[in-house]
Amino acid sequence: MNTSNTATNVRNKKRKNLTPEIQFRLNLDHCSKNKDLSTAISLFDSVPTTGSEIHLTHHHYNSLLYICSNSVNSDHPSTKSSAIEFGFRVYHHMIANHVSPSEATVTAVARLAAAKADGDAAFELARSVGNQGKLRTYAPALLCFCRNGMADKASEVEEHMGSLGLRLEEPELSALLKVNVEKGKGDKVYEYLHKLRASVREVNESTANILESWFCGEVASDVGLEIQNVDHVNQVKLRNGDGWHGLGWLGKGKWVVHRSNVVSDGRCCTCGEQLTCVDIDTTETERFAQSVASLAMEREVQSNFKEFQDWIEECSDYEAIVDGANVGLYQQNFAEGGFSIPQLDAVVRELYSRSKKWPLIILHKKRIRQLLEKASNRDLLQDWIDQGLLYGTPYGSNDDWYWLYAAVKLKCLLVTNDEMRDHTFELLGNSFFLRWKERHQVKYTFVKGNLKLLMPPTYSLVIQESEKGSWHVPVAGETIDESLRTWLCITRSGSCDALASGLNDDNQLSNSNKLETLANRNNSVGHSDDKLTSITGKRKERSSSSPEV
C-alpha cells in the first residue's frame, strides 16, 4: 500500500469536510502570512453580500486591514493605491455591519489615511479610541504631518499623546526634529532634542544628520542667551542630575560641529570637555525612594520598616551602603565555605580609604547573631555596631528593601553584585531604575583574595548638555572599544570664552529670570544626574544612636 497517496487522500478528504467559514479563514491567514493583497481582495469579493455561510469577524477585518496597511509601503504606485482604496472599503463594510473597531483596527486604518497624506483623518481616528490609544495608533498622524511640513499640527499630536502618558521613540522624535529644523523653530528643536535625550542613549545616523543640519544652519547661530551667571546654570544642572540644564540655547555665535571620540576618563578628544555620569534628578529620586518604601511596607512588617525609615532620616551621614549578605557569601559555595567576614571587612575598609567615611552595612539580625557566636568575629562586629556601621534587618524580612531604600534615599553608592532583576525589583519598573543603577551601583570581585571595586563609569553614554551651552551626542554603532565610538561634539567658542572668564557678577544677572522661566518650561522634557565625588552633598551629623542589630 502506498502510504504517501493514503496521506494525500486523507488531507484532501479533510479539506472537503471544511466548512466555508473555516476554509475562508485558512485562505485569509495564508494571504496575511504572505502579505498577498490581490488574493485578499479576490477572497473578500467572493463573499456573497446576502445569505452567506461566512460571518466576517474582527479577526477577518483586521487581517484584511493588516494586509492593506503593509501594502501601502510598496514601491509600486498601483499597489499602494489599491491597498488604500480596498482598505477603506473593508473598514466601511465593517462599520456598516456593526462590528466595532478595535485599537488594532484603528491603527491599520490610520496608516491608510496617512498613506494618502490625510493626517487630520489619521489623527481623528486615533483619538476615537480614547485611552486605548498606543504609540502605534498616533504615529501615522504625527509622521504624516511631519512629512508634509506641518510642524504645528505634528506638535498638536505629540502634546495629545503626552496627555495620555505615551512616550515617543526615536523615529517620531527624529521626525519632529526634522520638521522643526526645516521651519527654523529653535525653541521646538531644543524641546525635542531634550525629549530625545530622555528617551534614547545613542542616536541613529539619520538623527545625527538632522542635528548636524540644525547646528550648521544660520537660524541656530542666531538663537541663544548670553551666559551671565555660570553658578546658576551649574546649580540647575546639578539639580537635574548633572547631565543637562534645560535653560534653553546658551551662548552666542556660530556652532562648531565635529565628529569626535571620548576617552575612558570622559574627556572629549575635540573640545576637551569632561562628560559626566548622569543620574536621575531630584524629583525622580524622591519618587523612586517613595516607591521602594511603599512596596516594602506592603511586604514587610510595617512598623519595622517605618522604624528603619525614621532611623535613616536621623543617621544620614553615609556615602555608601553595603549589601552585607551579597559580599559575605561571594564565592563561598564550596565545602568549607560560609559567610566570609574578611571579605566584608575588606570592602568596608576600602570604601573608608577612598572617602574617609565609613559605609553602612545592611545584614539580617539572624545572620549577625550567628556570626557573633564565633569568637573570632566578635570584636570586629562589636566595633561596627558601636560605630553605627551595622544595621540588622528583622527576622523574616527581605533585606533587599532595606539596602535599596537606604541607597536611594541617601543618594549614595550601593555595593552589591546583585543584578536586581528578580520579581522584587521588577515591581519598581524600568523607566529610570537602569539609569539609577548605572550611576550608583558598585560591583566588586576578589582575585586570589585581593579586592577590586568596580566603580560606576566616569561618564554616561547619553546625550549631554553642559553649562557652557555645548552638546555631546553619542551615535549608535557596533564597537567593542567605547573610545572609538563616534560622538557629535557641538560647541560655541563664545560660550567657552564666557565660562573661562568666570562671569559671575551680581550686576550682570539680567537674564537669570529668563533662564529660570525656560528651565521651568522645559522641566517636563526629561531627567538626568549627580557627580560621583560629591554624590551625597552636605549631610546632617550622624545620630549618636547605633543601628539596630
Side-chain angles (χ1 to χ4, degrees), residues 317-433:
D317 195 27
Y318 298 102
E319 293 191 356
I321 308 297
V322 180
D323 177 1
N326 187 270
V327 175
L329 295 172
Y330 178 74
Q331 290 185 339
Q332 297 300 304
N333 55 340
F334 53 92
E336 294 78 24
F339 190 98
S340 175
I341 281 288
Q343 285 184 178
L344 185 53
D345 186 39
V347 169
V348 170
R349 291 180 181 279
E350 177 62 21
L351 289 169
Y352 179 79
S353 72
R354 289 171 180 253
S355 66
K356 301 308 176 187
K357 285 192 175 184
W358 294 106
L360 173 63
I361 309 161
I362 303 291
L363 201 59
H364 275 296
K365 278 185 180 179
K366 182 179 180 181
R367 177 77 65 182
I368 295 172
R369 298 283 165 84
Q370 290 172 343
L371 292 170
L372 284 169
E373 291 174 0
K374 193 172 182 179
S376 60
N377 296 331
R378 287 177 195 153
D379 288 345
L380 179 59
L381 285 170
Q382 192 59 53
D383 186 44
W384 287 348
I385 292 169
D386 293 343
Q387 291 190 67
L389 309 186
L390 185 60
Y391 190 95
T393 60
Y395 289 91
S397 67
N398 182 348
D399 61 345
D400 292 0
W401 294 119
Y402 291 80
W403 50 253
L404 180 59
Y405 177 79
V408 175
K409 185 66 178 177
L410 301 182
K411 303 181 181 68
C412 57
L413 298 173
L414 172 62
V415 182
T416 182
N417 281 349
D418 192 321
E419 292 295 343
M420 295 177 261
R421 290 176 180 160
D422 64 22
H423 66 280
T424 300
F425 305 104
E426 287 176 359
L427 296 169
L428 297 168
N430 293 317
S431 60
F432 46 77
F433 195 12

Side-chain angles (χ1 to χ4, degrees), residues 280 288 404 407-408 432-440:
I280 60 178
F288 190 12
L404 180 59
V408 175
F432 46 77
F433 195 12
L434 293 178
R435 281 189 289 136
W436 182 87
K437 281 173 58 179
E438 178 185 55
R439 175 64 181 81
H440 293 269

Side-chain angles (χ1 to χ4, degrees), residues 160-173:
H160 181 76
M161 294 172 72
S163 72
L164 298 176
L166 299 175
R167 286 176 63 96
L168 275 64
E169 296 179 357
E170 185 172 359
E172 293 75 33
L173 289 168

Side-chain angles (χ1 to χ4, degrees), residues 28-43:
L28 181 57
D29 288 347
H30 183 76
C31 290
S32 181
K33 181 180 178 180
N34 294 288
K35 299 180 178 61
D36 187 346
L37 177 64
S38 59
T39 304
I41 294 174
S42 300
L43 191 63

